[in-house]
Amino acid sequence: MQEEITEEKTIENMEMELIAKDCEIFTDEVLDYPPVALSFGEKVLRGKKVPIPIGTYGNISFVQAPSKTGKTFFLSMLAGVYLSGQNIYGGGLKGHRDGRCLIHFDTEMGLWHTQQVAKRIESMAGDIDLGCYKKYALRKLGYKDMLKFIEYILKENEGSNGLIIIDGVADLVTEVNDIKDGNECVRTLMRLSVEYDCHIITVIHSNYGSDKATGHLGSTLYKKCESAISLEKSTTHKDRVDVKCKLSRGFAFDNFSFEINKHSLPFVVGDIYDPLNGFIRNQPKNKEIPF
């Protein structure tokens, strides 16, 4: 019996030694700027221009917004930019795909609506080779099976995972205020982002009458995410949605706005107008939008 306990401790110690080697940080080691999945704008870092991340590989981010604020349109715009690198709809948004896959999971909509979103993304990407682009409608699955299936797809696609969109995260838990479920869900997404070297961006509603993400799940996402992005209906342009970086681990990207054209395609527009501060920033002008 004593020999069995000693052997178990030896195996555990070996596992801990491997983890220590993998996780220890050395300040004299030169580390590269984290590989970026999506960016908006540039900054100078140590004399070199670097993209300002919306998300980097190995991290998670989320988009929060009230109901019917254009969350799926916004994700479509990000997806189209990621597939193409840059396009006429995304303004200053850039995708850093490097041959990786875009994988899109929708937890709410049925097959027809999910397909329409996929067609929109392909249209916005333009006349390019889409490469590895996969999309799944998970509405029929239970919340535990959704998360298992997402991990299964990432494992099957190991080595090629890039931008992973999950629309939306609340369907991966029993309910948004369940502390245990919320913590486990976010921890799983964090683990998957590192284990499969991808960026996971997901969506959650805002609390009614508040700018906070819904429930304990939203609070946990705030604590663990790389970027927290909020969408709000513009108070000065009735057809416009303002995109704001509420939180970032690194450089915060500048605020921008988007509208939907008559073909139901979202595109980046000009300045956000702040009644107190005037125009916040002169955004890069779009090429002509094909209305």
Side-chain angles (χ1 to χ4, degrees):
M1 183 68 177
Q2 182 64 38
E3 290 180 358
E4 289 180 4
I5 294 174
T6 303
E7 184 177 352
E8 285 179 5
K9 286 186 176 180
T10 301
I11 293 172
E12 183 178 341
N13 287 342
M14 290 173 64
E15 290 175 348
M16 291 301 106
E17 287 175 6
L18 291 173
I19 292 173
K21 288 180 181 179
D22 191 42
C23 295
E24 189 172 5
I25 296 295
F26 300 95
T27 56
D28 58 350
E29 183 180 1
V30 179
L31 297 177
D32 293 331
Y33 190 72
V36 175
L38 284 164
S39 67
F40 186 76
E42 294 180 328
K43 286 277 188 181
V44 176
L45 180 65
R46 301 190 187 102
K48 181 181 178 182
K49 280 188 177 181
V50 295
I52 299 174
I54 288 178
T56 59
Y57 294 113
N59 269 304
I60 66 171
S61 295
F62 74 96
V63 177
Q64 66 160 90
S67 183
K68 308 305 179 187
T69 312
K71 297 182 292 295
T72 299
F73 281 109
F74 178 65
L75 290 178
S76 297
M77 187 164 61
L78 294 185
V81 166
Y82 187 73
L83 286 175
S84 61
Q86 193 170 23
N87 59 45
I88 60 174
Y89 302 97
L93 290 166
K94 291 185 179 180
H96 306 265
R97 186 181 184 187
D98 195 26
R100 298 179 184 230
C101 293
L102 168 65
I103 306 179
H104 192 159
F105 301 97
D106 190 282
T107 65
E108 295 182 356
M109 297 189 293
L111 294 176
W112 189 87
H113 286 97
T114 304
Q115 184 192 60
Q116 296 308 300
V117 173
K119 287 181 177 180
R120 178 197 302 150
I121 291 169
E122 290 181 355
S123 174
M124 295 176 69
D127 187 19
I128 63 166
D129 179 1
L130 295 176
C132 180
Y133 170 36
K134 301 181 180 181
K135 41 274 181 192
Y136 300 93
L138 307 187
R139 183 178 181 178
K140 65 175 71 173
L141 301 180
Y143 74 96
K144 289 183 179 179
D145 289 335
M146 285 186 187
L147 205 48
K148 286 179 182 178
F149 179 75
I150 289 169
E151 181 162 5
Y152 165 78
I153 292 298
L154 296 187
K155 186 174 182 179
E156 287 291 297
N157 205 53
E158 191 168 4
S160 299
N161 293 299
L163 180 64
I164 313 301
I165 295 174
I166 304 174
D167 188 2
V169 70
D171 291 317
L172 305 183
V173 297
T174 49
E175 69 102 21
V176 293
N177 283 310
D178 188 297
I179 295 176
K180 182 180 178 182
D181 266 7
N183 287 342
E184 286 183 357
C185 175
V186 175
R187 290 296 308 176
T188 297
L189 295 180
M190 292 169 63
R191 175 178 61 80
L192 294 178
S193 71
V194 174
E195 192 171 327
Y196 296 104
D197 190 29
C198 57
H199 186 81
I200 298 175
I201 186 166
T202 190
V203 177
I204 191 168
H205 285 140
S206 296
N207 285 323
Y208 181 77
S210 167
D211 65 348
K212 294 182 179 180
T214 306
H216 177 79
L217 178 60
S219 299
T220 305
L221 282 169
Y222 263 117
K223 294 172 186 174
K224 305 299 184 182
C225 73
E226 177 180 24
S227 298
I229 303 164
S230 76
L231 306 183
E232 301 172 7
K233 287 284 189 181
S234 173
T235 57
T236 55
H237 300 80
K238 68 180 182 67
D239 297 322
R240 187 170 294 185
V241 177
D242 295 338
V243 181
K244 299 181 180 180
C245 183
K246 291 180 66 68
L247 178 149
S248 174
R249 290 196 185 278
F251 299 125
F253 62 85
D254 286 324
N255 300 332
F256 61 95
S257 304
F258 71 91
E259 294 180 6
I260 313 298
N261 71 19
K262 67 180 183 180
H263 301 294
S264 296
L265 301 176
F267 63 95
V268 172
V269 292
D271 308 340
I272 295 177
Y273 184 76
D274 184 326
L276 298 178
N277 300 310
F279 287 102
I280 294 175
R281 181 176 183 270
N282 183 24
Q283 297 294 335
K285 300 302 180 184
N286 259 5
K287 296 178 182 178
E288 184 179 353
I289 303 296
F291 287 105

